Amino acid sequence: MAHIAHNPDARPDYKTTVELGAVLPQTAEVRDGHLYIGGLDTVALAQEYGTALYVMDETHIRTQLRNFLEWTRYHWKDVDVAFAGKAFLCRAMCQLVAEEGCYLDVASGGELACALAAGFPPEHILAHGNNKTIRELTEAIDAGVGRIVVDSFEELARVNALATERAQSQAVLIRVTPGIVADTHAYIQTGGEDSKFGFGLANGLALRAITEALELDGIELVGLHMHIGSQIFALNSYAKAIEVIVHFMDTVRTETGFTVAELDTGGGLGIAYGVPDEPATIKQFGKVIVDDIKEHCEQHGLPVPHIIVEPGRSVAANAGVTLYTVGTIKRIPEVRTYVAVDGGMTDNIRTALYDAHYEAVIANRADAPRDSIVTVAGKHCESGDIVLIDAPIQTPVLGDVLCVFGTGAYCQSMASNYNKQVRPAVVFVRDGAARLVVRRETYEDLMRCDVG
Ligand code: LLP
C-alpha cells in the first residue's frame, strides 16, 4: 500500500512484555506466559468478554489522579485536578474521578449528561467547547456547573442572557490563547495565535473579552483558562505560556482593576506510547506549573490564584489496553506481513489520524521475545485501517490474543461504527476482579436510531 510507509529500521527487538516499562499499565505482569492486568489473565478476559475489548487498570487510573493531586498540591495547597473527560468517559469513570476527589472537564452536552447521570457533583464540572450550542449552555447552567469556560464573544453574550433570564450569575473562566506553539502534532496544538479556540492575547481580544465580561450582570468572572496542546514532552512550553499569561494577569489588573482568582492551565502532559518515549513525570509537571505560577505572581505582586490542571491522556492512556483476536495472517513476500484483527480504525483511529505509534504483544505468549515484524491491520474496508505499522510482536498464529498498549485515552472516546461495527466493551480490572462498565454494542444498538 503506497501510503503505508515502510519503516526501514523495523527490526525484531526481542523484548519481552515486562521490558516495555512505562508503556504498560502499572499492574501488568506476566504469569505462566500470559499477560495479567489487575491480577487477571487477559487471555481469560478475552474469552469471557469477547474481542475487541478495552481493559482498563483501575489502580493505574487512581494512582495517576492521586499523583496529580499530590505533586501539584505539594507546591501550593490551592490546586484542583480536573480529569479531561474527552480522553475517556463513561459513568464508572466519572464515579472513579469523583471518588478520588477530582473535578471533571466536559466538552459537550453529551459528556455533561454522562457526568450528571453518574451523579458527578455539578459544582466540580467545567464546561468547555469552542462552539457550545444554546442547548448545551442551557443544560450546563441549569445543572449548576462550577465553571463555563467561555470561548467567544457570542458565547459571553449567550451565557449572560441565559443567566440573566434565570436571575443568576454564572461563574466563568475566559479561555485565552497565549501564543505558544507546543512541540507536538499540529492537529493537537491549541495554544497558538491561529487557533479556533479562545481569545488571543497579542491581538487584544482577550483583554476586550475580560472588559466586556466585567460589565455583564449575568457573568461572574473568576479567572482564565489556557490549553496549549496535547502529548507535550517539553515542559518549557508550559513555562513559556505561564510567563506570558501571568504577565497578562498583571495587565488585566492594571487595565480593569480585576484580579484573576483562578488560573486553569489545561492538560497536555505526554505519555510513553513506545519504549524510547521519555515524557516528563507528573512530579516534574506539577513543579513547573505551580512553581512557575507562584514565582511569576510574586514578581508581579499578584496573589497566587486557585490553580486547576486538566490532564486526560496522562491519567488514562497507559491504564488501558485493547485486546484483539488474531485473524488472517498474510505474508506478502518481500513486502510485509499483515496480521488482521477483529477491530481496527473503529476502536482506534489514532494511527490513521496521527500516525500514532503503539507497542503490542501476544498476550498468550507474553514471555516470548518479540521476534517478528508485522503490520497489524483492522477489518474495515479502508486500506488506511491500520493499528500498528512494522511493529515487533511475538510470531503470531491464528487465534492468538493481541494486546495493544496505551489505548486507554482517545480510543474508546473516538470510536465509530464504520462498517456497522459494534463498539467494544470496556472492563475495569482491579485486585483480581473485573467489572464490565460498558457492554459491547449489539446489532440492535446499531439500528436503535433508525426510524424509517
Ligand atoms: N483541557 C482541554 C481544554 C483540552 O482541550 C484537552 C484536550 C485537555 C484538557 C486534555 O489534554 P490531555 O491531557 O489529554 O493531553 N484526540 C487527540 C487529543 C486531543 C486533545 C484535545 N484536548 C489524540 O488522540 O491525540
Side-chain angles (χ1 to χ4, degrees):
M1 231 14 88
H3 64 282
I4 303 172
H6 258 295
N7 174 3
D9 301 328
R11 286 190 177 66
D13 71 355
Y14 301 110
K15 278 192 189 64
T16 62
T17 307
V18 287
E19 291 169 276
L20 295 177
V23 174
L24 303 173
Q26 283 158 15
T27 66
E29 58 185 318
V30 174
R31 293 189 208 164
D32 300 329
H34 283 200
L35 171 69
Y36 276 62
I37 302 174
L40 291 174
D41 183 351
T42 55
V43 181
L45 289 170
Q47 266 157 14
E48 184 172 351
Y49 296 99
T51 53
L53 178 70
Y54 297 113
V55 178
M56 302 286 284
D57 178 358
E58 204 177 318
T59 306
H60 186 117
I61 299 172
R62 290 182 189 273
T63 307
Q64 296 302 91
L65 290 171
R66 285 175 202 176
N67 280 338
F68 271 104
L69 286 169
E70 178 176 353
W71 293 115
T72 50
R73 290 182 178 168
Y74 181 81
H75 302 277
W76 175 241
K77 59 187 182 328
D78 200 11
V79 184
D80 278 293
V81 175
F83 173 66
K86 70 207 78 182
F88 173 77
L89 206 69
C90 60
R91 288 191 309 218
M93 184 66 182
C94 294
Q95 281 151 5
L96 194 158
V97 170
E99 278 167 26
E100 293 300 328
C102 292
Y103 288 14
L104 187 68
D105 138 5
V106 300
S108 71
E111 289 185 5
L112 175 62
C114 178
L116 297 174
F120 199 90
E123 65 277 15
H124 290 169
I125 296 178
L126 298 103
H128 281 283
N130 71 306
N131 185 24
K132 303 174 196 76
T133 62
I134 293 189
R135 176 178 166 178
E136 288 173 320
L137 290 172
T138 308
E139 287 164 354
I141 292 170
D142 288 344
V145 299
R147 303 281 182 268
I148 292 183
V149 181
V150 172
D151 206 281
S152 67
F153 288 107
E154 290 84 351
E155 190 171 289
L156 195 57
R158 283 173 166 181
V159 174
N160 180 52
L162 290 166
T164 313
E165 271 168 30
R166 290 161 177 73
Q168 288 175 17
S169 140
Q170 172 64 45
V172 309
L173 301 180
I174 298 282
R175 178 162 177 172
V176 304
T177 42
I180 302 297
V181 178
D183 182 17
T184 184
H185 195 293
Y187 289 3
I188 47 180
Q189 287 169 345
T190 45
E193 281 293 326
D194 180 2
S195 170
K196 72 168 182 169
F197 297 104
F199 298 93
L201 289 191
N203 55 23
L205 294 176
L207 188 60
R208 212 179 95 204
I210 289 166
T211 314
E212 280 188 23
L214 289 169
E215 282 163 12
L216 300 172
D217 289 340
I219 299 285
E220 180 201 344
L221 179 61
V222 184
L224 304 178
H225 175 279
M226 67 172 195
H227 172 74
I228 58 173
S230 198
Q231 186 59 356
I232 296 170
F233 276 37
L235 291 180
N236 66 336
S237 299
Y238 289 103
K240 278 192 252 167
I242 287 168
E243 184 177 352
V244 169
I245 206 165
V246 176
H247 185 270
F248 177 67
M249 283 160 56
D250 195 359
T251 310
V252 169
R253 185 180 53 178
T254 313
E255 297 289 325
T256 69
F258 172 71
T259 303
V260 169
E262 188 167 281
L263 178 58
D264 182 333
T265 57
L269 178 62
I271 63 126
Y273 281 107
V275 178
D277 295 345
E278 286 185 11
T281 62
I282 294 174
K283 186 174 175 181
Q284 291 164 333
F285 172 84
K287 182 168 166 52
V288 166
I289 298 287
V290 180
D291 269 4
D292 280 35
I293 293 177
K294 275 168 63 184
E295 187 189 314
H296 291 295
C297 282
E298 270 161 36
Q299 276 166 15
H300 289 276
L302 289 162
V304 181
H306 174 223
I307 298 170
I308 301 178
V309 293
E310 291 176 345
R313 188 191 318 264
S314 49
V315 171
N318 294 120
V321 303
T322 312
L323 302 179
Y324 301 101
T325 301
V326 170
T328 55
I329 300 173
K330 231 169 247 180
R331 295 192 166 87
I332 309 177
E334 286 165 47
V335 179
R336 66 172 85 225
T337 297
Y338 280 102
V339 175
V341 293
D342 50 356
M345 65 190 293
T346 48
D347 58 75
N348 185 351
I349 190 69
R350 298 193 69 262
T351 307
L353 202 53
Y354 313 118
D355 286 328
H357 167 89
Y358 290 95
E359 299 286 349
V361 301
I362 298 292
N364 47 297
R365 277 193 304 287
D367 52 354
R370 300 195 305 168
D371 54 1
S372 284
I373 294 293
V374 303
T375 290
V376 175
K379 66 193 290 291
H380 304 295
C381 302
E382 184 98 20
S383 41
D385 172 26
I386 297 291
V387 183
L388 305 172
I389 301 171
D390 294 337
I393 62 170
Q394 290 84 352
T395 303
V397 293
L398 188 76
D400 276 344
V401 175
L402 181 80
C403 174
V404 178
F405 296 106
T407 61
Y410 302 114
C411 287
Q412 196 256 3
S413 62
M414 295 174 80
S416 78
N417 291 122
Y418 179 46
N419 288 154
K420 286 270 183 280
Q421 174 80 355
V422 293
R423 280 174 294 189
V426 183
V427 173
F428 276 17
V429 292
R430 185 191 190 188
D431 298 335
R435 62 184 171 121
L436 181 68
V437 297
V438 179
R439 68 158 171 80
R440 181 177 309 284
E441 285 177 333
T442 61
Y443 292 155
E444 291 70 43
D445 290 328
L446 297 175
M447 288 166 271
R448 210 174 36 206
C449 302
D450 284 20
V451 290

